[in-house]
Amino acid sequence: YAKPLSIDWFYTRVFVKFMLDNPEMLTRLRIFETVGLRSHNGRLSDSSPADTERLAAMMRDNQDTLKRYDVNAYQGQEKLSYRIMDYFLNGLVQGEPWRYHNFPVNQLFGVQSELPNMMTQHQQVNDATDAEHYLQRLRAYPEKIDGVIASMKIREEKGIIPPKFLVEKVGTQLKDFLAAASKDNALTVAFRDKLAKIPTEKMDASTRADLTARVE
Protein backbone atom coordinates (compact mmCIF):
# COMPACT_ATOMS: atom_id res chain seq x y z
CA TYR A 1 0.00 0.00 0.00
CA ALA A 2 1.48 3.28 -1.11
CA LYS A 3 0.93 6.25 1.17
CA PRO A 4 -1.85 8.48 -0.24
CA LEU A 5 -1.00 12.18 -0.51
CA SER A 6 -3.98 13.05 1.70
CA ILE A 7 -4.62 11.32 5.00
CA ASP A 8 -8.34 11.63 4.28
CA TRP A 9 -7.78 9.47 1.18
CA PHE A 10 -6.05 6.95 3.40
CA TYR A 11 -9.02 6.88 5.80
CA THR A 12 -11.37 6.38 2.85
CA ARG A 13 -9.25 3.54 1.48
CA VAL A 14 -9.19 1.74 4.84
CA PHE A 15 -12.95 2.15 5.25
CA VAL A 16 -13.88 1.07 1.71
CA LYS A 17 -11.58 -1.97 1.77
CA PHE A 18 -12.92 -3.00 5.18
CA MET A 19 -16.50 -2.73 3.91
CA LEU A 20 -15.81 -4.60 0.68
CA ASP A 21 -14.39 -7.46 2.75
CA ASN A 22 -17.68 -7.55 4.68
CA PRO A 23 -20.50 -7.87 2.14
CA GLU A 24 -22.95 -9.05 4.82
CA MET A 25 -22.37 -5.81 6.72
CA LEU A 26 -22.93 -3.84 3.52
CA THR A 27 -26.26 -5.60 3.05
CA ARG A 28 -27.32 -4.60 6.55
CA LEU A 29 -26.19 -0.97 6.16
CA ARG A 30 -27.48 -0.54 2.56
CA ILE A 31 -25.17 2.41 1.92
CA PHE A 32 -23.92 1.33 -1.52
CA GLU A 33 -27.42 0.80 -2.90
CA THR A 34 -27.97 4.55 -2.79
CA VAL A 35 -25.38 4.92 -5.57
CA GLY A 36 -26.63 1.93 -7.56
CA LEU A 37 -24.13 -0.66 -6.31
CA ARG A 38 -25.52 -3.98 -5.10
CA SER A 39 -23.35 -6.82 -6.40
CA HIS A 40 -22.10 -7.31 -2.83
CA ASN A 41 -25.53 -8.76 -2.04
CA GLY A 42 -24.52 -11.86 -3.97
CA ARG A 43 -21.32 -12.49 -2.01
CA LEU A 44 -20.37 -13.76 1.43
CA SER A 45 -17.27 -12.83 3.39
CA ASP A 46 -14.37 -15.27 3.51
CA SER A 47 -14.14 -17.03 6.88
CA SER A 48 -11.12 -19.21 6.06
CA PRO A 49 -7.91 -19.14 8.10
CA ALA A 50 -6.07 -17.87 5.02
CA ASP A 51 -8.30 -14.81 4.88
CA THR A 52 -7.91 -14.27 8.62
CA GLU A 53 -4.16 -14.07 8.06
CA ARG A 54 -4.60 -11.80 5.04
CA LEU A 55 -6.72 -9.36 7.02
CA ALA A 56 -4.22 -9.35 9.90
CA ALA A 57 -1.41 -8.49 7.48
CA MET A 58 -3.53 -5.76 5.89
CA MET A 59 -4.19 -4.16 9.29
CA ARG A 60 -0.45 -4.17 10.03
CA ASP A 61 0.18 -2.48 6.69
CA ASN A 62 -2.51 0.08 7.45
CA GLN A 63 -0.95 0.83 10.82
CA ASP A 64 2.50 1.23 9.25
CA THR A 65 1.04 3.61 6.67
CA LEU A 66 -0.74 5.67 9.32
CA LYS A 67 2.51 6.09 11.25
CA ARG A 68 4.05 7.67 8.14
CA TYR A 69 1.78 10.68 8.64
CA ASP A 70 2.96 13.21 11.24
CA VAL A 71 0.26 13.49 13.90
CA ASN A 72 1.78 16.81 15.02
CA ALA A 73 0.84 18.31 11.67
CA TYR A 74 -2.86 18.11 12.54
CA GLN A 75 -5.09 20.11 14.82
CA GLY A 76 -8.64 19.82 16.15
CA GLN A 77 -10.88 17.37 14.29
CA GLU A 78 -8.04 16.20 12.04
CA LYS A 79 -5.95 15.18 15.05
CA LEU A 80 -8.96 13.50 16.65
CA SER A 81 -9.57 11.50 13.46
CA TYR A 82 -5.93 10.42 13.45
CA ARG A 83 -6.10 9.26 17.06
CA ILE A 84 -9.35 7.35 16.47
CA MET A 85 -7.84 5.51 13.49
CA ASP A 86 -4.66 4.85 15.47
CA TYR A 87 -6.71 3.43 18.36
CA PHE A 88 -8.74 1.23 15.99
CA LEU A 89 -5.73 -0.19 14.12
CA ASN A 90 -3.61 -0.56 17.24
CA GLY A 91 -6.32 -2.61 18.93
CA LEU A 92 -6.50 -4.98 15.97
CA VAL A 93 -2.74 -5.39 15.67
CA GLN A 94 -2.23 -5.89 19.40
CA GLY A 95 -4.99 -8.49 19.42
CA GLU A 96 -3.41 -10.57 16.65
CA PRO A 97 -1.87 -13.20 18.98
CA TRP A 98 -5.39 -14.00 20.21
CA ARG A 99 -7.27 -13.91 16.90
CA TYR A 100 -8.19 -17.59 17.32
CA HIS A 101 -9.01 -17.34 21.01
CA ASN A 102 -12.78 -17.09 20.66
CA PHE A 103 -15.79 -19.19 19.71
CA PRO A 104 -16.92 -18.10 16.22
CA VAL A 105 -19.96 -20.38 16.51
CA ASN A 106 -21.96 -20.20 19.71
CA GLN A 107 -25.55 -20.10 20.92
CA LEU A 108 -25.79 -16.31 20.56
CA PHE A 109 -24.21 -15.74 17.15
CA GLY A 110 -22.36 -17.51 14.37
CA VAL A 111 -22.77 -18.63 10.79
CA GLN A 112 -25.66 -20.93 11.74
CA SER A 113 -27.85 -18.03 12.87
CA GLU A 114 -26.36 -14.79 11.52
CA LEU A 115 -26.47 -15.82 7.86
CA PRO A 116 -30.14 -16.89 7.82
CA ASN A 117 -31.12 -13.83 9.88
CA MET A 118 -29.27 -11.50 7.52
CA MET A 119 -30.88 -13.00 4.42
CA THR A 120 -34.40 -13.22 5.81
CA GLN A 121 -34.48 -9.88 7.66
CA HIS A 122 -32.07 -7.56 5.85
CA GLN A 123 -31.51 -8.72 2.28
CA GLN A 124 -33.71 -6.85 -0.18
CA VAL A 125 -35.37 -8.61 -3.12
CA ASN A 126 -36.99 -5.92 -5.23
CA ASP A 127 -36.41 -7.30 -8.73
CA ALA A 128 -34.89 -10.19 -10.68
CA THR A 129 -31.32 -8.98 -10.09
CA ASP A 130 -31.85 -8.98 -6.33
CA ALA A 131 -33.36 -12.46 -6.59
CA GLU A 132 -30.26 -13.73 -8.42
CA HIS A 133 -28.07 -12.23 -5.69
CA TYR A 134 -30.09 -14.15 -3.10
CA LEU A 135 -29.46 -17.35 -5.04
CA GLN A 136 -25.76 -16.56 -5.40
CA ARG A 137 -25.48 -16.25 -1.64
CA LEU A 138 -27.21 -19.58 -1.12
CA ARG A 139 -24.71 -21.20 -3.50
CA ALA A 140 -21.88 -19.58 -1.51
CA TYR A 141 -22.98 -21.23 1.75
CA PRO A 142 -20.78 -24.36 1.42
CA GLU A 143 -17.55 -22.39 0.91
CA LYS A 144 -18.47 -20.05 3.76
CA ILE A 145 -19.20 -22.89 6.16
CA ASP A 146 -16.08 -24.81 5.09
CA GLY A 147 -14.04 -21.73 6.00
CA VAL A 148 -15.66 -21.54 9.43
CA ILE A 149 -15.00 -25.24 10.03
CA ALA A 150 -11.35 -24.86 9.01
CA SER A 151 -10.94 -21.93 11.39
CA MET A 152 -12.55 -23.92 14.21
CA LYS A 153 -10.11 -26.78 13.60
CA ILE A 154 -7.23 -24.37 14.15
CA ARG A 155 -8.82 -23.36 17.44
CA GLU A 156 -9.20 -27.01 18.36
CA GLU A 157 -5.49 -27.56 17.73
CA LYS A 158 -4.77 -24.64 20.07
CA GLY A 159 -7.08 -26.01 22.74
CA ILE A 160 -9.69 -23.27 22.23
CA ILE A 161 -12.72 -25.53 22.58
CA PRO A 162 -16.22 -24.30 23.53
CA PRO A 163 -17.97 -25.77 26.58
CA LYS A 164 -20.36 -28.67 26.15
CA PHE A 165 -23.54 -26.67 26.82
CA LEU A 166 -22.65 -24.25 24.02
CA VAL A 167 -22.12 -27.05 21.50
CA GLU A 168 -25.40 -28.66 22.49
CA LYS A 169 -27.35 -25.41 22.08
CA VAL A 170 -25.85 -24.80 18.63
CA GLY A 171 -26.69 -28.38 17.69
CA THR A 172 -30.31 -27.75 18.67
CA GLN A 173 -30.38 -24.58 16.59
CA LEU A 174 -29.12 -26.47 13.55
CA LYS A 175 -31.62 -29.30 13.98
CA ASP A 176 -34.51 -26.84 14.34
CA PHE A 177 -33.39 -24.94 11.24
CA LEU A 178 -33.20 -28.13 9.15
CA ALA A 179 -36.40 -29.72 10.51
CA ALA A 180 -38.73 -28.20 7.92
CA ALA A 181 -38.88 -29.34 4.30
CA SER A 182 -37.02 -27.12 1.83
CA LYS A 183 -40.22 -25.39 0.70
CA ASP A 184 -40.98 -24.50 4.33
CA ASN A 185 -37.45 -23.55 5.34
CA ALA A 186 -37.07 -20.00 6.67
CA LEU A 187 -34.83 -19.04 3.74
CA THR A 188 -37.41 -20.19 1.20
CA VAL A 189 -40.40 -18.71 3.02
CA ALA A 190 -38.69 -15.33 3.37
CA PHE A 191 -37.69 -15.35 -0.30
CA ARG A 192 -41.24 -16.19 -1.37
CA ASP A 193 -42.60 -13.37 0.80
CA LYS A 194 -40.10 -10.92 -0.68
CA LEU A 195 -41.11 -11.92 -4.23
CA ALA A 196 -44.78 -11.46 -3.36
CA LYS A 197 -44.14 -7.76 -2.65
CA ILE A 198 -42.72 -7.13 -6.14
CA PRO A 199 -45.34 -5.49 -8.41
CA THR A 200 -46.74 -7.82 -11.09
CA GLU A 201 -45.58 -5.48 -13.86
CA LYS A 202 -41.98 -6.00 -12.70
CA MET A 203 -42.12 -9.81 -12.41
CA ASP A 204 -44.62 -12.31 -13.79
CA ALA A 205 -45.92 -15.40 -12.02
CA SER A 206 -43.83 -17.91 -13.99
CA THR A 207 -40.61 -16.06 -13.14
CA ARG A 208 -41.55 -16.05 -9.45
CA ALA A 209 -42.29 -19.76 -9.54
CA ASP A 210 -38.99 -20.54 -11.27
CA LEU A 211 -36.96 -18.45 -8.83
CA THR A 212 -38.69 -20.00 -5.82
CA ALA A 213 -38.06 -23.50 -7.15
CA ARG A 214 -34.38 -22.68 -7.56
CA VAL A 215 -34.18 -21.41 -3.98
CA GLU A 216 -35.80 -24.63 -2.74
Side-chain angles (χ1 to χ4, degrees):
Y1 288 90
K3 174 188 172 185
L5 293 176
S6 166
I7 195 169
D8 288 333
W9 298 350
F10 170 69
Y11 295 154
T12 301
R13 186 177 73 184
V14 172
F15 171 76
V16 170
K17 190 67 176 70
F18 180 80
M19 296 302 292
L20 291 176
D21 283 330
N22 292 271
E24 294 97 324
M25 183 184 297
L26 283 175
T27 294
R28 291 185 179 95
L29 295 177
R30 297 176 63 191
I31 54 177
F32 280 9
E33 281 83 349
T34 59
V35 293
L37 301 177
R38 49 179 172 157
S39 62
H40 55 273
N41 292 320
R43 298 188 297 110
L44 293 175
S45 57
D46 188 343
S47 295
S48 68
D51 200 65
T52 297
E53 300 304 317
R54 179 188 68 82
L55 291 174
M58 186 174 71
M59 291 303 106
R60 290 195 300 271
D61 288 342
N62 285 333
Q63 186 185 49
D64 290 343
T65 301
L66 180 66
K67 296 300 183 184
R68 293 166 61 191
Y69 294 96
D70 181 10
V71 64
N72 296 316
Y74 307 112
Q75 299 293 330
Q77 183 61 50
E78 289 185 332
K79 178 167 285 190
L80 178 61
S81 296
Y82 183 102
R83 295 196 181 281
I84 290 173
M85 179 62 78
D86 184 44
Y87 175 83
F88 170 71
L89 294 174
N90 191 54
L92 292 175
V93 172
Q94 286 190 345
E96 273 187 33
W98 299 278
R99 58 189 176 278
Y100 294 111
H101 288 238
N102 64 347
F103 305 140
V105 175
N106 59 66
Q107 80 277 23
L108 298 177
F109 60 85
V111 68
Q112 84 288 353
S113 58
E114 289 183 327
L115 268 187
N117 287 344
M118 182 269 298
M119 294 187 69
T120 58
Q121 298 178 25
H122 299 285
Q123 182 144 0
Q124 300 290 302
V125 180
N126 297 316
D127 55 27
T129 298
D130 288 342
E132 290 296 337
H133 288 155
Y134 195 98
L135 281 155
Q136 287 173 20
R137 271 195 164 148
L138 288 180
R139 289 194 292 268
Y141 263 56
E143 183 177 2
K144 172 77 173 184
I145 294 174
D146 284 347
V148 173
I149 292 173
S151 71
M152 292 173 70
K153 287 182 177 178
I154 289 181
R155 289 169 171 82
E156 183 179 20
E157 293 169 359
K158 295 177 177 291
I160 313 300
I161 300 173
K164 181 179 178 180
F165 81 88
L166 187 154
V167 177
E168 291 174 341
K169 288 181 180 295
V170 171
T172 299
Q173 290 176 350
L174 291 170
K175 290 175 183 176
D176 290 345
F177 180 75
L178 295 171
S182 60
K183 67 182 181 65
D184 299 317
N185 183 273
L187 289 166
T188 307
V189 172
F191 182 77
R192 192 162 50 235
D193 290 344
K194 293 173 193 287
L195 289 187
K197 296 177 182 179
I198 299 176
T200 54
E201 61 269 20
K202 292 183 63 177
M203 182 177 291
D204 58 40
S206 62
T207 300
R208 296 172 203 259
D210 176 66
L211 288 167
T212 303
R214 290 167 62 194
V215 167
E216 290 182 30

